């Protein structure tokens, strides 16, 4: 099966889901081929149209299964439990705020979040860890709102001073 | 020279840092007895840093540890002077108050 793995890994990063989808498609293909052979053995000739239709159906089925498996892979990777808390919010804040504000406000907040979160997990208190995440998400969003208001106020103050000179 | 204005939250932070000891933001939240919140403490600290009343540095981490380093905060000499002046002003103001009907 080395060649098969090499063939698929050329186009896809092989995973359990995709291998599973391929296995199902392979079983269906073999079963259909066997059924057709048996039918042919009974003496009834198969038309070219029937053969082409069956081949097209099998290719379509294999492709569809691989697509579903790839979609499941994407969904699972997004729900990965290994992603530390606050990662998405940090990326969001990185997009909205300057590097200085991120370093002074959001990164220390997430550092505290992770400290408390992993401390709770270490003690086996999963519900507390979830509650910490909820509380810090709220704190993060609050900090984002306050930071925006504060930077807008500072901007207005600078403009006012410049206009006063 | 005009005494810089500081808010109640800023005053609480300066009071907590006034011993000269470095503190984490979370430590200050826990020590404030509910006056400081997790969502606002870093914004207030950033404001104090802008005013140069507080300085900060990232904590040093041993090599195998990964992740975002926490930040340690310390009061500056300007911050100490402002806080002392604020305390003196508060004491003078409260001492000069005449009770209602007195």
């Amino acid at each position: 099966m080395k060649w098969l793995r090499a063939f698929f890994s050329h186009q896809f990063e092989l995973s359990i889901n995709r291998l599973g989808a391929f296995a199902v498609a392979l079983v269906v293909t073999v079963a259909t081929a066997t059924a057709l052979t048996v039918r042919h053995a009974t003496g009834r000739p198969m038309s070219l149209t029937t053969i082409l239709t069956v081949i097209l159906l099998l290719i379509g089925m294999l492709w569809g299964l691989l697509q579903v498996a790839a979609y499941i892979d994407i969904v699972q990777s997004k729900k990965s439990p290994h992603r530390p808390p606050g990662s998405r919010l940090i990326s969001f804040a990185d997009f909205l705020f300057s590097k200085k504000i991120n370093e002074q406000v959001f990164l220390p907040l997430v550092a505290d979040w992770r400290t408390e979160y992993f401390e709770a997990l270490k003690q086996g208190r999963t519900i507390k860890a979830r509650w910490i995440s909820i509380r810090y998400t709220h704190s993060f969003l609050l900090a984002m709102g306050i930071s925006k208001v504060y930077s807008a106020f500072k901007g207005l103050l600078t403009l006012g001073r410049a206009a006063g000179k | 020279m005009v005494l810089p204005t500081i808010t109640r939250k800023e005053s609480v932070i300066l009071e907590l840092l006034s011993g000269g000891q470095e503190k984490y933001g979370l430590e200050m939240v826990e020590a404030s007895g509910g006056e400081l919140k997790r969502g606002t403490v870093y914004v207030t600290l950033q404001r104090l840093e802008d005013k140069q009343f507080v300085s900060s540095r990232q904590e040093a981490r041993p090599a195998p540890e990964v992740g975002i380093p926490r930040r340690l905060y310390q009061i500056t000499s300007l911050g100490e002077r402002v806080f002392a002046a604020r305390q003196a002003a508060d004491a003078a103001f409260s001492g000069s108050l005449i009770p209602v009907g007195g």
Side-chain angles (χ1 to χ4, degrees):
Chain A
M1 298 292 276
K2 232 176 182 178
W3 63 271
L4 203 66
R5 194 183 165 87
F7 169 74
F8 274 97
S9 62
H10 177 68
Q11 288 183 3
F12 303 103
E13 186 192 337
L14 279 181
S15 68
I16 300 296
N17 282 328
R18 285 169 198 174
L19 274 175
F22 178 73
V24 170
L26 198 69
V27 167
V28 172
T29 311
V30 170
T32 315
T34 313
L36 287 173
T37 314
V38 169
R39 197 179 169 188
H40 185 66
T42 55
R44 291 180 199 165
M46 276 193 301
S47 68
L48 191 67
T49 325
T50 313
I51 294 167
L52 280 175
T53 312
V54 169
I55 289 169
L56 281 174
L57 270 174
L58 289 174
I59 290 170
M61 193 162 59
L62 176 65
W63 180 246
L65 279 169
L66 284 171
Q67 288 304 306
V68 171
Y71 178 72
I72 291 167
D73 256 7
I74 291 164
V75 171
Q76 278 181 351
S77 66
K78 276 183 181 170
K79 284 182 181 171
S80 169
H82 302 296
R83 197 168 178 161
S87 309
R88 270 182 224 124
L89 284 172
I90 275 285
S91 318
F92 189 49
D94 203 33
F95 173 71
L96 285 179
F97 296 92
S98 67
K99 195 184 166 193
K100 189 190 159 203
I101 293 176
N102 267 306
E103 279 176 3
Q104 286 183 332
V105 179
F106 300 112
L107 290 178
L109 186 65
V110 172
D112 284 350
W113 179 352
R114 288 178 185 175
T115 305
E116 282 200 74
Y117 178 84
F118 288 117
E119 192 60 42
L121 279 187
K122 213 163 76 180
Q123 291 167 0
R125 301 170 76 180
T126 324
I127 295 172
K128 194 191 173 189
R130 278 183 192 167
W131 171 242
I132 286 166
S133 277
I134 293 167
R135 206 169 53 178
Y136 269 101
T137 305
H138 169 253
S139 299
F140 197 100
L141 295 173
L142 188 73
M144 277 174 88
I146 293 171
S147 290
K148 267 286 166 216
V149 171
Y150 176 60
S151 51
F153 176 72
K154 232 168 75 171
L156 281 174
L157 214 68
T158 316
L159 274 174
R161 275 181 195 152
K165 277 179 187 174
Chain B
M1 189 188 167
V2 182
L3 179 68
T5 51
I6 49 173
T7 63
R8 175 73 198 141
K9 278 187 198 301
E10 289 174 345
S11 176
V12 170
I13 289 175
L14 290 178
E15 190 180 352
L16 288 166
L17 292 172
S18 61
Q21 206 186 349
E22 282 184 308
K23 280 194 167 81
Y24 295 110
L26 190 60
E27 269 184 298
M28 287 184 252
V29 171
E30 283 163 358
S32 70
E35 282 208 64
L36 299 173
K37 305 281 178 208
R38 286 168 174 80
T40 53
V41 69
Y42 289 109
V43 182
T44 316
L45 280 164
Q46 184 217 356
R47 210 183 306 153
L48 285 169
E49 271 196 275
D50 283 353
K51 292 177 181 175
Q52 296 178 341
F53 297 166
V54 159
S55 63
S56 73
R57 66 175 179 92
Q58 282 191 343
E59 68 171 352
R61 287 197 151 191
E65 279 190 35
V66 288
I68 304 168
R70 295 169 81 191
R71 223 170 172 83
L72 281 158
Y73 297 87
Q74 194 172 31
I75 193 165
T76 59
S77 57
L78 178 65
E80 270 179 355
R81 275 191 290 154
V82 167
F83 181 62
R86 167 73 189 243
Q87 272 190 318
D90 280 352
F93 182 71
S94 57
S96 67
L97 284 179
I98 301 161
V100 178

